[in-house]
Amino acid sequence: MTATATIDITGPAPPAATPPSILPLVVEDMSFAIDGRRLIDGVSLTLEAGPRTVILGPNGAGKSLLLRLCHGLLTPTGGRVTWHGAGAADTRQHQAMVFQKPVLLRRSARANVDYALKLKKIARDRRRAITDDVMARTGLAAVAETPARLLSGGEQQKLALARAWALKPQVLFLDEPTSHLDPAATAAVEAIVEDMRGDGTRIVMTTHDLGQARRMADHVAFLHKGRLLETTPAESFFERPKSGEAAAFLRGELRW
């Protein structure tokens, strides 16, 4: 997406030094069980800086659950999730997650972004400049004072992304961010995600839309029944899947 405005967000102070990376993220033999039933089963995965990773699989495969475990919203019942970068002592400050249905505060669109920055103890003047910038870059400047919960579905998802972008996360987890959106809103969200990637954010997302996966994936992780069956470059996955389950999924034949 081409920025609609360029706003100086540095203020009078010099820009802050770039924090050390929290990547790579290493998932080792991770499992997650509820009432004795394993929903994630022995997943091992390494996420380095750079490529966009799309997690694919049929409904119920564990895609959303895997994101929540990586983000730290849930604790594995087996195995480990470890950030190995030099900035790993402060991982919560440098990652964000946007859900399928945005979680928005009962206040204006602008105030949703401002509040996230306030929690990070950013000064008011700088918060205002950062908020103006991300509202413009996400196409939300005209609805900045509208109550967030009165926005359209596409605008709400763009607001969730704007709020995350304002925090400049090193890693952004996206859980089927366009599943309920029309094609135009989907394209707008994809463009924002690509702009965030251009700013240096590592993208990890789930989707059930194979067209979207083809557009956005550099790397694919394929889950089936809670097990990770393939991790491969996107081109190889779509042209030469290694597992019968992945091939059936791409043909539209795989069921839970």
Side-chain angles (χ1 to χ4, degrees), residues 74-140:
L74 296 171
T75 301
T77 54
R80 295 191 298 174
V81 178
T82 311
W83 299 90
H84 283 272
D90 198 21
T91 57
R92 298 299 298 174
Q93 297 295 315
H94 300 301
Q95 55 170 313
M97 185 165 177
V98 172
F99 298 90
Q100 187 177 119
K101 181 174 176 53
V103 180
L104 301 174
L105 302 173
R106 292 181 181 275
R107 55 189 72 187
S108 71
R110 168 186 291 280
N112 266 264
V113 177
D114 180 79
Y115 184 71
L117 294 167
K118 185 177 181 179
L119 289 178
K120 292 194 73 172
K121 303 186 185 306
I122 294 174
R124 179 178 298 179
D125 287 349
R126 184 160 171 78
R127 295 202 311 265
R128 184 181 302 113
I130 294 172
T131 300
D132 285 346
D133 181 66
V134 296
M135 297 299 277
R137 296 177 78 179
T138 54
L140 293 173

Side-chain angles (χ1 to χ4, degrees), residues 117-184:
L117 294 167
K118 185 177 181 179
L119 289 178
K120 292 194 73 172
K121 303 186 185 306
I122 294 174
R124 179 178 298 179
D125 287 349
R126 184 160 171 78
R127 295 202 311 265
R128 184 181 302 113
I130 294 172
T131 300
D132 285 346
D133 181 66
V134 296
M135 297 299 277
R137 296 177 78 179
T138 54
L140 293 173
V143 296
E145 304 306 328
T146 301
R149 297 187 182 187
L150 296 183
L151 298 175
S152 69
E155 288 169 337
Q156 288 189 8
Q157 197 63 286
K158 289 197 287 185
L159 177 57
L161 287 168
R163 187 171 56 189
W165 200 355
L167 301 176
K168 298 193 177 297
Q170 294 181 20
V171 181
L172 176 64
F173 295 102
L174 298 167
D175 187 11
E176 300 204 19
T178 63
S179 62
H180 302 302
L181 304 183
D182 64 26

Side-chain angles (χ1 to χ4, degrees), residues 21-254:
S21 177
I22 61 176
L23 290 164
L25 172 63
V26 178
V27 177
E28 301 173 89
D29 196 26
M30 181 180 68
S31 298
F32 184 80
I34 296 177
D35 296 330
R37 181 188 174 199
R38 282 198 175 193
L39 303 177
I40 297 292
D41 190 5
V43 168
S44 294
L45 177 69
T46 298
L47 298 174
E48 303 278 358
R52 299 165 297 181
T53 296
V54 172
I55 301 170
L56 288 176
N59 289 338
K63 304 184 297 296
S64 297
L65 188 54
L66 178 59
L67 280 194
R68 284 163 169 76
L69 287 160
C70 289
H71 185 47
L73 294 178
L74 296 171
T75 301
T77 54
R80 295 191 298 174
V81 178
T82 311
W83 299 90
H84 283 272
D90 198 21
T91 57
R92 298 299 298 174
Q93 297 295 315
H94 300 301
Q95 55 170 313
M97 185 165 177
V98 172
F99 298 90
Q100 187 177 119
K101 181 174 176 53
V103 180
L104 301 174
L105 302 173
R106 292 181 181 275
R107 55 189 72 187
S108 71
R110 168 186 291 280
N112 266 264
V113 177
D114 180 79
Y115 184 71
L117 294 167
K118 185 177 181 179
L119 289 178
K120 292 194 73 172
K121 303 186 185 306
I122 294 174
R124 179 178 298 179
D125 287 349
R126 184 160 171 78
R127 295 202 311 265
R128 184 181 302 113
I130 294 172
T131 300
D132 285 346
D133 181 66
V134 296
M135 297 299 277
R137 296 177 78 179
T138 54
L140 293 173
V143 296
E145 304 306 328
T146 301
R149 297 187 182 187
L150 296 183
L151 298 175
S152 69
E155 288 169 337
Q156 288 189 8
Q157 197 63 286
K158 289 197 287 185
L159 177 57
L161 287 168
R163 187 171 56 189
W165 200 355
L167 301 176
K168 298 193 177 297
Q170 294 181 20
V171 181
L172 176 64
F173 295 102
L174 298 167
D175 187 11
E176 300 204 19
T178 63
S179 62
H180 302 302
L181 304 183
D182 64 26
T186 293
V189 166
E190 289 181 4
I192 292 168
V193 171
E194 187 60 21
D195 281 354
M196 292 181 71
R197 177 184 177 240
D199 269 3
T201 297
R202 174 65 154 90
I203 304 299
V204 184
M205 69 180 289
T206 68
T207 182
H208 67 277
D209 181 341
L210 289 178
Q212 182 174 72
R214 290 177 184 273
R215 291 190 297 271
M216 300 196 71
D218 298 310
H219 187 265
V220 170
F222 178 72
L223 279 178
H224 180 51
K225 295 186 177 181
R227 298 189 64 84
L228 184 62
L229 300 187
E230 294 194 36
T231 55
T232 186
E235 182 178 356
S236 296
F237 177 81
F238 290 115
E239 294 183 4
R240 299 175 299 279
K242 297 176 183 177
S243 66
E245 291 87 350
F249 175 75
L250 291 173
R251 294 193 300 267
E253 300 171 0
L254 187 62

